Amino acid sequence: MYIIGLTGGTGSGKTTVSNYLRKKGFEIIDFDLTTRELEEPGEPALKEIVETFGPEALLPDGTMNRKYVGRIVFSDPEEKKKLDRIIQKYVDVLITARTDRFREAGKNVTRQTNPDDYLQKKVIFYDHPLLFEVPYNIEPANEAWVVDVDDETRIRRIMDRDCLLRDDIIKRINSQSSRQYKLDRADYVIDNSGTKEQLFRNVDAQIEALDRRLP
């Protein structure tokens, strides 16, 4: 089994890349989706979040008030650390279990037995916005792919996608690690400064290169 960490700042196009990889048959462990599972009614993680951020963190239907919590954590790094610590301990268990299942399913797969989908059976992606920032207690990725685009383009795309104010977007970006921080830690960079079709060609090129360097 080979683990690739896929990351990028908000608005970089990481989710678009993740969805494309999934359509090509790759197993994706999405940390954001896993986190949302923990924020459903009755989950112990949600109970801790409400205890930490107050009753306003809970919507009338019993789900997490993501906008309220988001305003808090994206405005104060210390508050964001509190949320990250709560989520981390619950996510670790789920991610480890899913990774182990993938390993078990592909343990007898070789290029001879699966010439057409060898990579899909042996390579798993961690779709993880905090790949470099949060020390999850899970099996580390073998390499990191960073989806990259300049900050101004990110801002424009988020404005079009989420209808947020520019100042709110800048706060969110500033609450995260910088673009350069991620680039400095990347093993491979996927450029997303062009069209979606160009992005997909860049992903395909990375997959082809991965196929050549894996045993």
Side-chain angles (χ1 to χ4, degrees):
M1 187 185 69
Y2 197 77
I3 303 172
I4 297 178
L6 177 69
T7 194
T10 180
S12 66
K14 175 184 64 62
T15 299
T16 301
V17 171
S18 180
N19 290 337
Y20 182 67
L21 289 167
R22 188 177 286 107
K23 288 180 181 178
K24 294 182 77 69
F26 285 98
E27 181 79 10
I28 309 292
I29 294 183
D30 188 318
F31 278 64
D32 277 344
L33 290 180
T34 303
T35 297
R36 293 200 180 201
E37 292 177 23
L38 301 174
E39 297 167 355
E40 291 299 313
E43 290 292 333
L46 179 57
K47 181 180 178 182
E48 282 198 44
I49 290 171
V50 174
E51 290 173 350
T52 301
F53 298 104
E56 296 90 346
L58 201 63
L59 291 171
D61 64 359
T63 59
M64 177 174 150
N65 187 341
R66 296 179 63 83
K67 287 186 177 180
Y68 171 77
V69 175
R71 284 197 300 271
I72 294 174
V73 301
F74 288 125
S75 299
D76 187 333
E78 291 305 314
E79 294 299 310
K80 188 171 186 301
K81 288 179 182 178
K82 291 179 184 179
L83 179 63
D84 289 341
R85 282 194 293 267
I86 293 170
I87 295 300
Q88 176 188 344
K89 61 182 177 181
Y90 294 101
V91 166
D92 288 347
V93 176
L94 293 179
I95 298 299
T96 297
R98 292 172 186 176
T99 303
D100 288 345
R101 285 196 296 269
F102 181 81
R103 176 187 285 105
E104 181 66 20
K107 66 180 181 180
N108 295 320
V109 171
T110 67
R111 288 191 182 274
Q112 288 70 40
T113 62
N114 293 72
D116 297 325
D117 62 353
Y118 175 74
L119 288 184
Q120 285 84 350
K121 298 295 186 183
K122 302 298 283 189
V123 176
I124 188 169
F125 284 86
Y126 285 168
D127 179 345
H128 193 351
L130 299 175
L131 182 70
F132 304 125
E133 293 86 350
V134 177
Y136 286 92
N137 186 28
I138 57 175
E139 187 170 350
N142 297 97
E143 63 184 48
W145 293 9
V146 171
V147 184
D148 179 62
V149 68
D150 66 272
D151 289 344
E152 188 56 41
T153 300
R154 291 167 61 195
I155 292 170
R156 186 177 68 251
R157 288 176 178 173
I158 296 171
M159 290 176 69
D160 292 340
R161 182 190 70 193
D162 298 337
C163 299
L164 295 175
L165 296 175
R166 181 181 180 87
D167 287 347
D168 290 338
I169 297 170
I170 291 174
K171 281 183 182 179
R172 182 168 296 189
I173 289 176
N174 289 341
S175 75
Q176 301 175 345
S177 298
S178 69
R179 176 189 179 199
Q180 193 59 51
Y181 178 91
K182 294 183 185 297
L183 290 175
D184 288 344
R185 288 156 179 79
D187 294 296
Y188 301 95
V189 176
I190 299 175
D191 176 55
N192 187 22
S193 59
T195 64
K196 186 175 290 188
E197 289 71 24
Q198 289 172 324
L199 172 63
F200 292 158
R201 286 197 293 270
N202 292 338
V203 175
D204 288 339
Q206 288 292 348
I207 294 172
E208 291 174 6
L210 172 67
D211 193 22
R212 290 193 297 269
R213 65 177 177 268
L214 283 187

